[in-house]
Amino acid sequence: MRSDPSNGNGSRLVSRRNFTAVTAGALTVGLAGCFGDDPQDDEGDGTGDATDGDAEFTVFASMPAVWDFVRQTAGEHMEAIDLVPVGEHGHDWTPRPGIVQEIDEGDGFVYLRDFASWQDDAADQLEERDDVVVIEASEGIDFFDSPAEDNDEHWWMDPVECQHGVENIADGLAEIDPDNADDYEANAAAFNEELEALNDDIHEVVDRAELEDVVVATHDSFQWWNRRYGINVHSPVGTSPDDAASPGDVEAIEELIEEIGIEHVLYDVGEPAPLAESLADEVDAEILPLSPIETQIDGSPEVDPTVEMEADWGYVDHFREINLPTLETALRAE
């Protein structure tokens, strides 16, 4: 069941908070419950116009970064809906039963291959039904064996690779709505200019930095920065939010911090960060936030009340409000 509450602009909003976590194997079970209001109100802050109640098409996105790519590319023609609830970590979240049936009410589904099993399963099932356009944002993007994991899929942390993902999305939206294909292409091109400007700014920070190394004391989803910018990312935790650091790994990181003269320990804003706090205390360092753009937060992360986030932030906001300032400080590029 779907309800159609509206915001002040008349936009139809779909809540992501009404999803609850279950195993991915139950994807085909029917939905129980309805959608309600959502603080992500699709008021576009980038190239694409805000979607509104007159939008003819609805596209579901599988995590926050992809959701923003869709809304920036779709503009006023489509409603973009992020399936991941506000406050939930995109890599760790699993939808409740019935997600395929709910997505089937829309016109498109944009996902990341190999990011979460429920996404790949949903894409396979939807392609069999042939009534929803399935868009793989990662199509044509080569994963690589990073220092953290083989076949590292976190390409959206690289603004250059994101431009390929945005083009993939534009092609998929044009398949849904051929009449406005030129608009999707133009929106994608304009947003990609923003991504290229962001890439230039990251290079500029790295070029004037004193350090080349950062320590991340939550799951390591930032290794594409090593490939693109030469930033050495060290973490005692693996690439899964559920991984735990061993005492030996923590000790090795402490020694590295002392050896290099690192003054900051970084943490993922979407995760509990007791390790970051304890590690920072142990080596007399400060903690700083990073966003892998897998979590939308309405307010502050639990670990750091000095950080104020908004639930409708887009990709560029996450970088300019959090990641760039943190890198500038942590790499001593101020």
Side-chain angles (χ1 to χ4, degrees), residues 207-221:
D207 287 346
R208 56 187 167 83
E210 295 180 19
L211 297 179
E212 298 178 344
D213 299 79
V214 296
V215 167
V216 180
T218 43
H219 97 279
D220 187 358
S221 55

mmCIF file with all atom_site columns, all heavy atoms in Angstrom, residues 207-221:
data_model
loop_
_atom_site.group_PDB
_atom_site.id
_atom_site.type_symbol
_atom_site.label_atom_id
_atom_site.label_alt_id
_atom_site.label_comp_id
_atom_site.label_asym_id
_atom_site.label_entity_id
_atom_site.label_seq_id
_atom_site.pdbx_PDB_ins_code
_atom_site.Cartn_x
_atom_site.Cartn_y
_atom_site.Cartn_z
_atom_site.occupancy
_atom_site.B_iso_or_equiv
_atom_site.pdbx_formal_charge
_atom_site.auth_seq_id
_atom_site.auth_comp_id
_atom_site.auth_asym_id
_atom_site.auth_atom_id
_atom_site.pdbx_PDB_model_num
ATOM 1   N N   . ASP A 1 207 ? 47.805 17.914 -3.427 1.00 0.00 ? 207 ASP A N   1
ATOM 2   C CA  . ASP A 1 207 ? 49.033 18.500 -3.945 1.00 0.00 ? 207 ASP A CA  1
ATOM 3   C C   . ASP A 1 207 ? 49.735 19.383 -2.915 1.00 0.00 ? 207 ASP A C   1
ATOM 4   O O   . ASP A 1 207 ? 50.970 19.493 -2.927 1.00 0.00 ? 207 ASP A O   1
ATOM 5   C CB  . ASP A 1 207 ? 48.733 19.324 -5.202 1.00 0.00 ? 207 ASP A CB  1
ATOM 6   C CG  . ASP A 1 207 ? 48.419 18.453 -6.405 1.00 0.00 ? 207 ASP A CG  1
ATOM 7   O OD1 . ASP A 1 207 ? 48.691 17.235 -6.338 1.00 0.00 ? 207 ASP A OD1 1
ATOM 8   O OD2 . ASP A 1 207 ? 47.871 18.979 -7.398 1.00 0.00 ? 207 ASP A OD2 1
ATOM 9   N N   . ARG A 1 208 ? 48.974 20.025 -2.018 1.00 0.00 ? 208 ARG A N   1
ATOM 10  C CA  . ARG A 1 208 ? 49.626 20.892 -1.032 1.00 0.00 ? 208 ARG A CA  1
ATOM 11  C C   . ARG A 1 208 ? 49.699 20.266 0.362  1.00 0.00 ? 208 ARG A C   1
ATOM 12  O O   . ARG A 1 208 ? 50.066 20.927 1.328  1.00 0.00 ? 208 ARG A O   1
ATOM 13  C CB  . ARG A 1 208 ? 48.896 22.236 -0.953 1.00 0.00 ? 208 ARG A CB  1
ATOM 14  C CG  . ARG A 1 208 ? 47.430 22.201 -0.648 1.00 0.00 ? 208 ARG A CG  1
ATOM 15  C CD  . ARG A 1 208 ? 46.818 23.604 -0.774 1.00 0.00 ? 208 ARG A CD  1
ATOM 16  N NE  . ARG A 1 208 ? 45.369 23.586 -0.789 1.00 0.00 ? 208 ARG A NE  1
ATOM 17  C CZ  . ARG A 1 208 ? 44.594 23.537 0.294  1.00 0.00 ? 208 ARG A CZ  1
ATOM 18  N NH1 . ARG A 1 208 ? 45.161 23.527 1.502  1.00 0.00 ? 208 ARG A NH1 1
ATOM 19  N NH2 . ARG A 1 208 ? 43.274 23.522 0.194  1.00 0.00 ? 208 ARG A NH2 1
ATOM 20  N N   . ALA A 1 209 ? 49.380 18.987 0.444  1.00 0.00 ? 209 ALA A N   1
ATOM 21  C CA  . ALA A 1 209 ? 49.378 18.307 1.735  1.00 0.00 ? 209 ALA A CA  1
ATOM 22  C C   . ALA A 1 209 ? 50.786 17.941 2.177  1.00 0.00 ? 209 ALA A C   1
ATOM 23  O O   . ALA A 1 209 ? 51.660 17.637 1.354  1.00 0.00 ? 209 ALA A O   1
ATOM 24  C CB  . ALA A 1 209 ? 48.528 17.050 1.654  1.00 0.00 ? 209 ALA A CB  1
ATOM 25  N N   . GLU A 1 210 ? 50.998 17.951 3.485  1.00 0.00 ? 210 GLU A N   1
ATOM 26  C CA  . GLU A 1 210 ? 52.267 17.510 4.061  1.00 0.00 ? 210 GLU A CA  1
ATOM 27  C C   . GLU A 1 210 ? 52.315 15.995 4.214  1.00 0.00 ? 210 GLU A C   1
ATOM 28  O O   . GLU A 1 210 ? 53.389 15.397 4.164  1.00 0.00 ? 210 GLU A O   1
ATOM 29  C CB  . GLU A 1 210 ? 52.484 18.165 5.423  1.00 0.00 ? 210 GLU A CB  1
ATOM 30  C CG  . GLU A 1 210 ? 52.642 19.678 5.377  1.00 0.00 ? 210 GLU A CG  1
ATOM 31  C CD  . GLU A 1 210 ? 52.852 20.264 6.759  1.00 0.00 ? 210 GLU A CD  1
ATOM 32  O OE1 . GLU A 1 210 ? 53.225 19.489 7.677  1.00 0.00 ? 210 GLU A OE1 1
ATOM 33  O OE2 . GLU A 1 210 ? 52.647 21.474 6.932  1.00 0.00 ? 210 GLU A OE2 1
ATOM 34  N N   . LEU A 1 211 ? 51.157 15.370 4.427  1.00 0.00 ? 211 LEU A N   1
ATOM 35  C CA  . LEU A 1 211 ? 51.082 13.929 4.625  1.00 0.00 ? 211 LEU A CA  1
ATOM 36  C C   . LEU A 1 211 ? 50.438 13.248 3.428  1.00 0.00 ? 211 LEU A C   1
ATOM 37  O O   . LEU A 1 211 ? 49.719 13.885 2.643  1.00 0.00 ? 211 LEU A O   1
ATOM 38  C CB  . LEU A 1 211 ? 50.271 13.598 5.884  1.00 0.00 ? 211 LEU A CB  1
ATOM 39  C CG  . LEU A 1 211 ? 50.817 14.083 7.229  1.00 0.00 ? 211 LEU A CG  1
ATOM 40  C CD1 . LEU A 1 211 ? 49.862 13.678 8.353  1.00 0.00 ? 211 LEU A CD1 1
ATOM 41  C CD2 . LEU A 1 211 ? 52.212 13.520 7.491  1.00 0.00 ? 211 LEU A CD2 1
ATOM 42  N N   . GLU A 1 212 ? 50.686 11.953 3.314  1.00 0.00 ? 212 GLU A N   1
ATOM 43  C CA  . GLU A 1 212 ? 50.046 11.133 2.280  1.00 0.00 ? 212 GLU A CA  1
ATOM 44  C C   . GLU A 1 212 ? 49.179 10.042 2.891  1.00 0.00 ? 212 GLU A C   1
ATOM 45  O O   . GLU A 1 212 ? 48.568 9.261  2.152  1.00 0.00 ? 212 GLU A O   1
ATOM 46  C CB  . GLU A 1 212 ? 51.112 10.475 1.388  1.00 0.00 ? 212 GLU A CB  1
ATOM 47  C CG  . GLU A 1 212 ? 51.990 11.454 0.621  1.00 0.00 ? 212 GLU A CG  1
ATOM 48  C CD  . GLU A 1 212 ? 53.047 10.735 -0.202 1.00 0.00 ? 212 GLU A CD  1
ATOM 49  O OE1 . GLU A 1 212 ? 53.286 9.526  0.070  1.00 0.00 ? 212 GLU A OE1 1
ATOM 50  O OE2 . GLU A 1 212 ? 53.623 11.373 -1.102 1.00 0.00 ? 212 GLU A OE2 1
ATOM 51  N N   . ASP A 1 213 ? 49.100 9.976  4.209  1.00 0.00 ? 213 ASP A N   1
ATOM 52  C CA  . ASP A 1 213 ? 48.470 8.854  4.898  1.00 0.00 ? 213 ASP A CA  1
ATOM 53  C C   . ASP A 1 213 ? 47.354 9.332  5.816  1.00 0.00 ? 213 ASP A C   1
ATOM 54  O O   . ASP A 1 213 ? 47.471 10.376 6.474  1.00 0.00 ? 213 ASP A O   1
ATOM 55  C CB  . ASP A 1 213 ? 49.500 8.099  5.740  1.00 0.00 ? 213 ASP A CB  1
ATOM 56  C CG  . ASP A 1 213 ? 50.623 7.527  4.911  1.00 0.00 ? 213 ASP A CG  1
ATOM 57  O OD1 . ASP A 1 213 ? 51.544 8.291  4.548  1.00 0.00 ? 213 ASP A OD1 1
ATOM 58  O OD2 . ASP A 1 213 ? 50.586 6.315  4.628  1.00 0.00 ? 213 ASP A OD2 1
ATOM 59  N N   . VAL A 1 214 ? 46.262 8.550  5.852  1.00 0.00 ? 214 VAL A N   1
ATOM 60  C CA  . VAL A 1 214 ? 45.197 8.762  6.824  1.00 0.00 ? 214 VAL A CA  1
ATOM 61  C C   . VAL A 1 214 ? 44.865 7.422  7.469  1.00 0.00 ? 214 VAL A C   1
ATOM 62  O O   . VAL A 1 214 ? 45.076 6.358  6.879  1.00 0.00 ? 214 VAL A O   1
ATOM 63  C CB  . VAL A 1 214 ? 43.927 9.371  6.194  1.00 0.00 ? 214 VAL A CB  1
ATOM 64  C CG1 . VAL A 1 214 ? 44.209 10.761 5.641  1.00 0.00 ? 214 VAL A CG1 1
ATOM 65  C CG2 . VAL A 1 214 ? 43.347 8.460  5.124  1.00 0.00 ? 214 VAL A CG2 1
ATOM 66  N N   . VAL A 1 215 ? 44.337 7.483  8.690  1.00 0.00 ? 215 VAL A N   1
ATOM 67  C CA  . VAL A 1 215 ? 43.884 6.291  9.401  1.00 0.00 ? 215 VAL A CA  1
ATOM 68  C C   . VAL A 1 215 ? 42.381 6.381  9.577  1.00 0.00 ? 215 VAL A C   1
ATOM 69  O O   . VAL A 1 215 ? 41.857 7.371  10.084 1.00 0.00 ? 215 VAL A O   1
ATOM 70  C CB  . VAL A 1 215 ? 44.582 6.170  10.776 1.00 0.00 ? 215 VAL A CB  1
ATOM 71  C CG1 . VAL A 1 215 ? 43.884 5.121  11.644 1.00 0.00 ? 215 VAL A CG1 1
ATOM 72  C CG2 . VAL A 1 215 ? 46.047 5.809  10.591 1.00 0.00 ? 215 VAL A CG2 1
ATOM 73  N N   . VAL A 1 216 ? 41.683 5.339  9.133  1.00 0.00 ? 216 VAL A N   1
ATOM 74  C CA  . VAL A 1 216 ? 40.235 5.248  9.273  1.00 0.00 ? 216 VAL A CA  1
ATOM 75  C C   . VAL A 1 216 ? 39.931 4.096  10.221 1.00 0.00 ? 216 VAL A C   1
ATOM 76  O O   . VAL A 1 216 ? 40.264 2.941  9.933  1.00 0.00 ? 216 VAL A O   1
ATOM 77  C CB  . VAL A 1 216 ? 39.544 5.008  7.918  1.00 0.00 ? 216 VAL A CB  1
ATOM 78  C CG1 . VAL A 1 216 ? 38.033 4.923  8.101  1.00 0.00 ? 216 VAL A CG1 1
ATOM 79  C CG2 . VAL A 1 216 ? 39.912 6.102  6.931  1.00 0.00 ? 216 VAL A CG2 1
ATOM 80  N N   . ALA A 1 217 ? 39.295 4.394  11.347 1.00 0.00 ? 217 ALA A N   1
ATOM 81  C CA  . ALA A 1 217 ? 39.070 3.377  12.372 1.00 0.00 ? 217 ALA A CA  1
ATOM 82  C C   . ALA A 1 217 ? 37.656 2.805  12.314 1.00 0.00 ? 217 ALA A C   1
ATOM 83  O O   . ALA A 1 217 ? 37.133 2.336  13.324 1.00 0.00 ? 217 ALA A O   1
ATOM 84  C CB  . ALA A 1 217 ? 39.350 3.949  13.756 1.00 0.00 ? 217 ALA A CB  1
ATOM 85  N N   . THR A 1 218 ? 37.047 2.872  11.143 1.00 0.00 ? 218 THR A N   1
ATOM 86  C CA  . THR A 1 218 ? 35.816 2.140  10.861 1.00 0.00 ? 218 THR A CA  1
ATOM 87  C C   . THR A 1 218 ? 36.011 1.463  9.508  1.00 0.00 ? 218 THR A C   1
ATOM 88  O O   . THR A 1 218 ? 37.110 1.495  8.964  1.00 0.00 ? 218 THR A O   1
ATOM 89  C CB  . THR A 1 218 ? 34.592 3.086  10.834 1.00 0.00 ? 218 THR A CB  1
ATOM 90  O OG1 . THR A 1 218 ? 34.916 4.281  10.114 1.00 0.00 ? 218 THR A OG1 1
ATOM 91  C CG2 . THR A 1 218 ? 34.147 3.461  12.240 1.00 0.00 ? 218 THR A CG2 1
ATOM 92  N N   . HIS A 1 219 ? 34.990 0.850  8.962  1.00 0.00 ? 219 HIS A N   1
ATOM 93  C CA  . HIS A 1 219 ? 35.211 -0.009 7.797  1.00 0.00 ? 219 HIS A CA  1
ATOM 94  C C   . HIS A 1 219 ? 35.797 0.786  6.629  1.00 0.00 ? 219 HIS A C   1
ATOM 95  O O   . HIS A 1 219 ? 35.480 1.949  6.415  1.00 0.00 ? 219 HIS A O   1
ATOM 96  C CB  . HIS A 1 219 ? 33.928 -0.753 7.426  1.00 0.00 ? 219 HIS A CB  1
ATOM 97  C CG  . HIS A 1 219 ? 33.104 -0.159 6.349  1.00 0.00 ? 219 HIS A CG  1
ATOM 98  N ND1 . HIS A 1 219 ? 32.234 0.885  6.561  1.00 0.00 ? 219 HIS A ND1 1
ATOM 99  C CD2 . HIS A 1 219 ? 32.980 -0.482 5.027  1.00 0.00 ? 219 HIS A CD2 1
ATOM 100 C CE1 . HIS A 1 219 ? 31.615 1.173  5.439  1.00 0.00 ? 219 HIS A CE1 1
ATOM 101 N NE2 . HIS A 1 219 ? 32.046 0.384  4.491  1.00 0.00 ? 219 HIS A NE2 1
ATOM 102 N N   . ASP A 1 220 ? 36.660 0.131  5.888  1.00 0.00 ? 220 ASP A N   1
ATOM 103 C CA  . ASP A 1 220 ? 37.505 0.789  4.894  1.00 0.00 ? 220 ASP A CA  1
ATOM 104 C C   . ASP A 1 220 ? 36.832 0.791  3.531  1.00 0.00 ? 220 ASP A C   1
ATOM 105 O O   . ASP A 1 220 ? 36.938 -0.158 2.760  1.00 0.00 ? 220 ASP A O   1
ATOM 106 C CB  . ASP A 1 220 ? 38.851 0.068  4.827  1.00 0.00 ? 220 ASP A CB  1
ATOM 107 C CG  . ASP A 1 220 ? 39.848 0.801  3.944  1.00 0.00 ? 220 ASP A CG  1
ATOM 108 O OD1 . ASP A 1 220 ? 39.477 1.832  3.359  1.00 0.00 ? 220 ASP A OD1 1
ATOM 109 O OD2 . ASP A 1 220 ? 40.998 0.339  3.842  1.00 0.00 ? 220 ASP A OD2 1
ATOM 110 N N   . SER A 1 221 ? 36.141 1.884  3.228  1.00 0.00 ? 221 SER A N   1
ATOM 111 C CA  . SER A 1 221 ? 35.498 2.010  1.916  1.00 0.00 ? 221 SER A CA  1
ATOM 112 C C   . SER A 1 221 ? 36.109 3.141  1.099  1.00 0.00 ? 221 SER A C   1
ATOM 113 O O   . SER A 1 221 ? 35.479 3.651  0.179  1.00 0.00 ? 221 SER A O   1
ATOM 114 C CB  . SER A 1 221 ? 33.998 2.266  2.106  1.00 0.00 ? 221 SER A CB  1
ATOM 115 O OG  . SER A 1 221 ? 33.771 3.381  2.928  1.00 0.00 ? 221 SER A OG  1
#
